[in-house]
Amino acid sequence: MAIITLTTDLGSKDFYQAALKGSILSILPTATIVDVTHEVPSFNISHAAFVLKNVYPYFPKGTVHLIGIDSVFSQHTKYIALKHKDHFFVGADNGVFSLLFEEKPEEIVELNIMQDLKYLHFPLVDIFVKAATQLAKGAKLKDIGVATDGVEERMLLAPVIERDIIRGSVIYIDTFSNVITNITKELFTKIQRNRDFTLYFRKSETISQLSWHYNEVPEGEKLCLFGISNHLEIAINKGKASGLLGLHLNDIVRVEFHP
């Protein structure tokens, strides 16, 4: 079964998304196409990486993940394909892969597929589709590119640890307006050491207890928990935390652990 997932900033208003899918089906009519999202903010590779990082492990091994973010032609950007944990990824080497993986991918190639000049401004429907469909049909990476060592590096803002304090920031706000921070469960547990804590945000707002699920507090009450992404999340049960609590991307949050 050939599965190709799509993560792009193409949106749903224009014809670009349909053109991409049509290009895939023209080459591989039996492909199963799965939309991860087409609503990534334009050119926002960190947003795309966070979404796909939390999605791809749920797909079967051998799935091909096509990333269409900031992929227009540039003399300084390579088009690459790689293999990581038995999944394949195709996209522009613009830093997204360094944000997507914590370890170095098993194999990386720079694509050597000939560019069709009439699609120079839209390589998604040309080079990327050709690479993704070939991989979905069982081709090896070496069949579509030349081995290369690494990927373009980008850095995300990391939490700051000060003795018994973690200072983090908001990195993602989902459709339900839940606020996701860059504080991972692993880091929280390591610094907490079974101690009580207080989570501070927006000056006077605090939360002092972790919840297991959203309905653990009454409707309209705020809570924090580690969601499916394993990042510390601020939410309101059946409410919109981002708007009601005034939390936005890059806002600072602080966790203090008590003796």
Side-chain angles (χ1 to χ4, degrees):
M1 180 172 60
I3 302 174
I4 300 175
T5 79
L6 306 177
T7 303
T8 80
D9 57 3
L10 298 177
S12 302
K13 176 184 176 181
D14 302 307
F15 55 85
Y16 308 122
Q17 181 190 145
L20 173 59
K21 294 177 182 178
S23 298
I24 293 171
L25 294 173
S26 293
I27 298 175
L28 187 57
T30 59
T32 298
I33 301 174
V34 179
D35 298 303
V36 174
T37 181
H38 296 284
E39 305 303 328
V40 174
S42 299
F43 314 117
N44 193 325
I45 63 171
S46 61
H47 183 113
F50 183 81
V51 171
L52 189 53
K53 183 176 184 177
N54 286 287
V55 166
Y56 85 82
Y58 292 94
F59 281 85
K61 292 180 179 180
T63 297
V64 181
H65 306 278
L66 192 157
I67 306 173
I69 310 293
D70 193 19
S71 59
V72 295
F73 174 76
S74 169
Q75 292 181 345
H76 307 291
T77 302
K78 299 182 296 186
Y79 298 144
I80 64 175
L82 56 85
K83 183 179 181 181
H84 182 68
K85 294 184 177 179
D86 292 322
H87 289 252
F88 295 97
F89 300 81
V90 177
D93 187 23
N94 53 20
V96 66
F97 295 109
S98 66
L99 304 178
L100 184 55
F101 309 125
E102 295 177 4
E103 312 92 2
K104 183 179 178 180
E106 302 155 28
E107 189 178 355
I108 311 168
V109 298
E110 180 177 358
L111 298 177
N112 58 7
I113 297 170
M114 187 67 69
Q115 171 77 68
D116 188 329
L117 293 180
K118 69 178 179 179
Y119 296 123
L120 189 62
H121 63 293
F122 200 8
L124 271 177
V125 301
D126 182 34
I127 295 178
F128 288 24
V129 164
K130 291 173 182 174
T133 51
Q134 287 190 50
L135 290 170
K137 289 189 287 187
K140 305 295 185 183
L141 285 175
K142 64 182 181 180
D143 298 327
I144 60 173
V146 179
T148 185
D149 282 334
V151 297
E152 180 73 20
E153 294 289 337
R154 288 286 185 93
M155 297 293 292
L156 287 177
L157 186 65
V160 176
I161 302 169
E162 301 174 359
R163 298 185 64 181
D164 297 323
I165 298 174
I166 302 175
R167 299 184 189 275
S169 60
V170 177
I171 59 170
Y172 191 84
I173 297 172
D174 70 14
T175 302
F176 299 97
S177 288
N178 299 321
V179 177
I180 300 173
T181 75
N182 61 352
I183 301 173
T184 64
K185 185 176 183 179
E186 179 182 19
L187 175 62
F188 186 97
T189 303
K190 178 181 177 181
I191 305 301
Q192 181 187 26
R193 301 193 298 277
N194 294 317
R195 294 178 293 172
D196 292 335
F197 73 93
T198 303
L199 169 62
Y200 295 91
F201 54 96
R202 297 299 296 173
K203 295 183 179 179
S204 60
E205 295 282 355
T206 63
I207 301 175
S208 297
Q209 184 174 344
L210 278 173
S211 296
W212 286 98
H213 52 81
Y214 299 102
N215 290 322
E216 196 170 319
V217 301
E219 287 189 22
E221 290 294 323
K222 62 181 182 290
L223 66 136
C224 67
L225 78 171
F226 288 100
I228 193 172
S229 69
N230 272 331
H231 284 242
L232 185 63
E233 181 178 323
I234 300 168
I236 292 178
N237 185 15
K238 293 185 171 63
K240 297 184 179 297
S242 174
L244 293 173
L245 298 175
L247 284 166
H248 308 286
L249 289 175
N250 302 317
D251 280 357
I252 301 300
V253 302
R254 187 176 83 256
V255 182
E256 293 188 6
F257 298 100
H258 312 304

